[in-house]
Amino acid sequence: MTISAEPIIYGLIFIAVLVLVEGLYLTVFGKSISLNNKVNRRLDLLEKGAGREQVLEQLRKEMTQHLKSQSIPLYSILASKAQKANIAFTPPQIIMIMIGLSFVAFIGLTVGTGTAAPIRVGVALAMGIGGVYIWINNKAKKRTSMIEEQLPDAVELMVRSLRVGHPFSSAVGIVSKEVADPLGSEMGVISDEAAYGRDMGESLKAMAERMDMQDLRFLAVAVTIQQQSGGNLAEILDGLSKVIRARFKLFRRVKAITAEAKWSGMFLSVFPLLALVGINVIQPNYYDEVKETAVFIPACLVVAAFLAVNVFVMRTLVNIKV
């Protein structure tokens, strides 16, 4: 029995691509870009001596650069997720990183495998583009979930500030100093924009649309209505914080209930691919007798179609909106 190491090499090269892009990101921007940093990035930049206007300009550029670059070929599939993840790399830099990682993957495939050159090129491009996409997608999910978790506490902090007599702009400024990233820097940008004359409701609405979060839309609508019609903003935000916290608890409960179904669907989707890799590793010549037949390619396409349908159906069954 011969064992082929090529599938293992493919996996190791792909993991190396993911590690390289994360390492490059932290190397360029330092620990201040990390989402779990206790001091938010805006305050970190201010402490390093940058002016308030300069920091605001830099953060606003990072927050809007990806959606403005959706017309770039192939980049449109990444734009919305890169915006939610607030990737500090510019779109051209991300494209260059994809090309560079594809080249690194091609070198690794050339050294470690004996696959034909066209296949190496295709696999290398898939690894470079797919690795960056997976990295950005994970960043976006993590950042969105952290904002959802921080928002109720931030709104309650606004309520306490309003009740002791602070104006709403000062309450937002307090949140920007007391709350860690990612929400701290977002609120800091809103506070700075208000200081330079932008309407607070418009800033909150722009943030909600950029992040595509329903709870942030509730906050923006509440502030806008209060500005136009008056009322006790502290009481409105207090009720809103309770609603957001209740929605968050319900979402966590639904997530816990559907966890088994999600892992079952993931296992059913990944197991056939793992089995295929295992067969090729343990017995590389397993399909030699049938791969030259006329039905081999159509059968592979049918199996691939069933796998795609399986992934779609399983995701639909457990994707419960709260």
Side-chain angles (χ1 to χ4, degrees):
M1 179 179 66
T2 59
I3 297 179
S4 174
E6 287 195 4
I8 300 176
I9 294 174
Y10 289 156
L12 292 175
I13 292 175
F14 186 68
I15 293 173
V17 167
L18 295 177
V19 173
L20 280 173
V21 67
E22 177 68 18
L24 181 62
Y25 196 58
L26 293 178
T27 300
V28 173
F29 296 101
K31 293 183 178 180
S32 66
I33 203 71
S34 178
L35 292 179
N36 57 4
N37 196 27
K38 292 182 179 179
V39 178
N40 66 61
R41 186 158 183 256
R42 172 177 169 271
L43 294 179
D44 185 74
L45 292 173
L46 290 172
E47 289 177 359
K48 290 179 179 179
R52 186 179 182 183
E53 186 175 355
Q54 181 183 357
V55 172
L56 175 61
E57 182 180 357
Q58 179 179 347
L59 293 179
R60 288 188 66 184
K61 179 182 178 182
E62 293 175 0
M63 291 176 179
T64 58
Q65 61 185 350
H66 299 289
L67 289 182
K68 292 180 179 180
S69 303
Q70 287 182 320
S71 59
I72 299 177
L74 299 179
Y75 190 77
S76 58
I77 59 176
L78 289 174
S80 61
K81 293 187 181 296
Q83 193 64 64
K84 291 180 181 179
N86 197 31
I87 301 299
F89 282 135
T90 63
Q93 287 174 339
I94 292 179
I95 294 174
M96 292 301 296
I97 289 172
M98 288 181 181
I99 297 173
L101 292 177
S102 298
F103 179 75
V104 172
F106 178 78
I107 296 298
L109 291 172
T110 301
V111 174
T113 68
T115 312
I119 297 178
R120 293 201 305 272
V121 171
V123 173
L125 288 174
M127 285 185 177
I129 297 173
V132 173
Y133 179 85
I134 292 174
W135 175 72
I136 291 178
N137 186 50
N138 289 337
K139 287 282 187 182
K141 287 182 178 179
K142 182 179 179 180
R143 189 168 187 270
T144 301
S145 64
M146 290 183 70
I147 290 178
E148 289 174 345
E149 188 172 352
Q150 290 176 311
L151 189 58
D153 294 333
V155 175
E156 289 178 357
L157 182 57
M158 293 179 194
V159 172
R160 291 195 293 269
S161 300
L162 292 170
R163 284 176 174 169
V164 299
H166 292 292
F168 183 66
S169 58
S170 297
V172 174
I174 292 172
V175 170
S176 69
K177 296 177 182 178
E178 299 296 331
V179 178
D181 268 344
L183 189 59
S185 292
E186 292 280 355
M187 288 297 178
V189 170
I190 292 175
S191 176
D192 289 342
E193 288 178 341
Y196 285 107
R198 188 178 184 184
D199 181 71
M200 188 73 71
E202 291 182 2
S203 298
L204 288 169
K205 183 179 179 181
M207 175 185 172
E209 294 301 324
R210 188 174 67 250
M211 296 302 301
D212 192 23
M213 289 180 56
Q214 193 64 33
D215 292 337
L216 287 175
R217 292 191 180 98
F218 291 156
L219 177 60
V221 169
V223 172
T224 301
I225 292 176
Q226 191 276 337
Q227 288 178 338
Q228 295 176 354
S229 60
N232 191 336
L233 183 58
E235 293 299 324
I236 295 173
L237 294 184
D238 184 50
L240 178 61
S241 68
K242 294 177 181 178
V243 171
I244 294 174
R245 195 174 295 279
R247 291 183 74 248
F248 183 73
K249 289 181 178 179
L250 180 59
F251 175 77
R252 284 294 180 90
R253 185 177 180 184
V254 170
K255 187 176 181 180
I257 293 173
T258 59
E260 182 180 357
K262 286 183 178 179
W263 279 102
S264 298
M266 187 181 300
F267 175 79
L268 292 174
S269 302
V270 174
F271 179 76
L273 300 177
L274 294 179
L276 180 62
V277 172
I279 290 173
N280 281 278
V281 170
I282 297 172
Q283 188 66 23
N285 301 323
Y286 185 79
Y287 293 105
D288 286 353
E289 296 182 1
V290 296
K291 68 181 182 181
E292 301 297 336
T293 60
V295 298
F296 182 74
I297 299 299
C300 291
L301 295 176
V302 170
V303 171
F306 275 119
L307 285 175
V309 171
N310 169 71
V311 172
F312 176 78
V313 172
M314 296 302 296
R315 287 180 62 89
T316 303
L317 289 176
V318 299
N319 187 22
I320 300 176
K321 300 294 183 181
V322 179

